[in-house]
Amino acid sequence: MASKAEGGDGIVETIKTIVYALLIAGIFRTLFFQPFWIPSGSMKDTLLIGDFLFVNKMAYGYSRYSCPFSMCPISGRIFASEPKRGDVVVFRHPVNGADFIKRLIGLPGDRIQMKDGLLYINDKPVKVTPAGQFDETYAPQGPVGHYPRCENAPVGEGGTCIKDRFRETLPNGVSHDILNIEQHGPADNTPVFTVPKGEFFFMGDNRDNSEDSRFSQAVGGVGFVPAANLIGRADRVIFSSAGRSLFYFWTWRPDRFFKAIE
């Protein structure tokens, strides 16, 4: 029979093990990779609702937002590296504190504008070519159960939801898909946005279904994002599930497992 002292020692060792495991996990999450689950359709078809990925936190250095609960005692960024146009980035919203994931479109000093749904960077239109259409089932998606928006609306439950797809090539040669839902969306024509020093301009690939830098923070948008708010770069989808729970194995998307993010 174990003595009370031995029983007490066992409890202490168990607590130590748990504490050490939490510390190691916290250090790993802070310095290297942070898990991120895609909750919305703003980055379709690059990222789908239910995609699970790890964010590379070494890509741009570290700020106060690198730590859980923004607890890092860091002013600005340390070990900073400049992000590249076209990177898919997780950042902290400048106002509401939520983590967002969007594509980096505008660098400091850039002039960004949308004209008739076409992106202009420094007064020049980016190259866009047709890339077929993106089809998905009109049904609740993910844990929240949102329905997708469709170019061919109205669509009945279980019907095919269609969006036009285009291939957009940014000035530095980065190419990616973008989707179009409507011809005259609220952000298809904008004023010129001049990106301030030390800040960035982000957009979702699902252009008509994205709260991003085209909308000011005063109306619930993102606006310009300070460099300190960048958390890391999304490089690869690790796992993907189309269902309301990751335990619904019949809704897993094996073709997206370990898929590189363009």
Side-chain angles (χ1 to χ4, degrees), residues 92-262:
R92 187 64 50 86
H93 190 287
V95 175
N96 67 26
D99 287 348
F100 275 47
I101 185 165
K102 306 288 181 185
R103 190 176 298 277
L104 176 55
I105 296 296
L107 303 173
D110 281 344
R111 291 163 52 85
I112 307 296
Q113 186 177 20
M114 294 291 292
K115 296 181 183 179
D116 297 324
L118 182 62
L119 173 63
Y120 284 70
I121 298 178
N122 295 323
D123 306 313
K124 296 180 180 180
V126 301
K127 180 182 178 181
V128 174
T129 55
Q133 66 183 32
F134 174 70
D135 297 344
E136 57 185 336
T137 302
Y138 187 74
Q141 297 183 339
V144 178
H146 287 158
Y147 283 84
R149 293 181 60 204
C150 313
E151 185 178 6
N152 59 326
V155 178
E157 183 85 21
T160 301
C161 177
I162 296 172
K163 300 173 183 63
D164 278 338
R165 176 165 49 198
F166 299 89
R167 192 72 176 172
E168 181 178 82
T169 302
L170 300 175
N172 61 344
V174 173
S175 294
H176 56 275
D177 288 344
I178 59 171
L179 302 181
N180 182 72
I181 299 172
E182 51 188 328
Q183 298 302 316
H184 302 288
D188 281 341
N189 289 281
T190 71
V192 175
F193 300 97
T194 301
V195 185
K197 180 180 179 181
E199 300 189 3
F200 298 96
F201 190 97
F202 289 91
M203 294 174 62
D205 291 347
N206 192 359
R207 291 287 164 82
D208 292 322
N209 192 36
S210 175
E211 293 181 9
D212 51 41
S213 294
R214 294 171 293 174
F215 301 93
S216 73
Q217 296 162 6
V219 296
V222 171
F224 299 121
V225 178
N229 289 53
L230 305 188
I231 294 174
R233 185 182 65 221
D235 294 329
R236 189 174 295 273
V237 174
I238 302 301
F239 173 83
S240 185
S241 173
R244 303 198 68 170
S245 169
L246 61 86
F247 297 108
Y248 296 173
F249 62 87
W250 57 91
T251 66
W252 292 357
R253 306 182 185 109
D255 60 315
R256 297 188 64 79
F257 291 6
F258 305 105
K259 179 181 175 63
I261 297 172
E262 293 184 330

Side-chain angles (χ1 to χ4, degrees), residues 79-100:
F79 308 119
S81 297
E82 289 299 313
K84 297 178 181 178
R85 193 192 313 277
D87 285 356
V88 176
V89 180
V90 173
F91 58 88
R92 187 64 50 86
H93 190 287
V95 175
N96 67 26
D99 287 348
F100 275 47

